[in-house]
Amino acid sequence: TNKLKIDYDTLSSINPSIIYCSLTGYGQNGPYEQLAGHDLNYISICGILDLNKERKMENLSNQERKPIVPGVQAADIGGGLISTIGILSAIIERANNSEKKGQYIDISMLDCVFSFMPMPAAYHFSQNLSITSPIQGDFPFYSV
């Protein structure tokens, strides 16, 4: 965007009230910033893909459980939704400030899907590693 002169600094110098949203896979900085990404990469790194596995067969405790690719692009959709929330929030802020100054919004799809993991993270950090999550469908009260 810098080479094309469509970066936030250039555009906000022309129009200070601009609201500019960057949506990237891994963020603007860090070890993965230049890597190509796909929804499966993001949900794999954050652990969602690991939670979606084939059920264990009875009497096969050492059975390898392969991940099941979700039918929904959680990171893509989540990134879009979080971007929308950021943009709408910036519109409200701009309407309420006297300078009518815009904002730069930086969204990472990987960061967005990490926010989908509170229950599995709670179980992981509680050191109860026998259960990855109570909402995995193995319990009879889910009738799955």
Side-chain angles (χ1 to χ4, degrees):
T1 58
N2 290 348
K3 290 179 185 178
L4 296 173
K5 301 289 186 202
I6 57 171
D7 57 290
Y8 177 72
D9 291 336
T10 301
L11 295 178
S12 65
S13 69
I14 297 166
N15 180 1
S17 64
I18 193 167
I19 295 170
Y20 188 106
C21 183
S22 292
L23 177 60
T24 60
Y26 301 105
Q28 302 289 328
N29 302 300
Y32 298 149
E33 72 180 271
Q34 294 298 315
L35 293 180
H38 189 271
D39 194 86
L40 283 176
N41 301 122
Y42 315 134
I43 66 169
S44 176
I45 290 171
C46 86
I48 289 176
L49 190 59
D50 189 55
L51 296 174
N52 293 311
K53 290 187 175 181
E54 296 175 345
R55 300 286 177 242
K56 288 183 181 178
M57 302 297 287
E58 289 186 36
N59 302 324
L60 296 174
S61 61
N62 292 333
Q63 172 191 9
E64 180 183 348
R65 295 175 27 192
K66 297 178 183 177
I68 298 170
V69 177
V72 170
Q73 296 78 26
D76 296 341
I77 294 168
L81 289 172
I82 299 298
S83 295
T84 301
I85 292 168
I87 292 166
L88 293 173
S89 299
I91 289 170
I92 292 168
E93 166 58 27
R94 183 179 63 192
N96 290 322
N97 73 49
S98 59
E99 298 175 9
K100 304 299 180 204
K101 188 169 176 4
Q103 294 182 43
Y104 175 67
I105 302 161
D106 184 15
I107 305 293
S108 155
M109 287 187 272
L110 178 59
D111 292 346
C112 292
V113 289
F114 270 116
S115 72
F116 297 168
M117 299 289 286
M119 288 292 285
Y123 274 82
H124 175 77
F125 291 117
S126 74
Q127 302 302 314
N128 184 355
L129 301 179
S130 64
I131 301 173
T132 56
S133 173
I135 54 176
Q136 62 188 341
D138 283 344
F139 296 101
F141 50 81
Y142 276 105
S143 299
V144 175

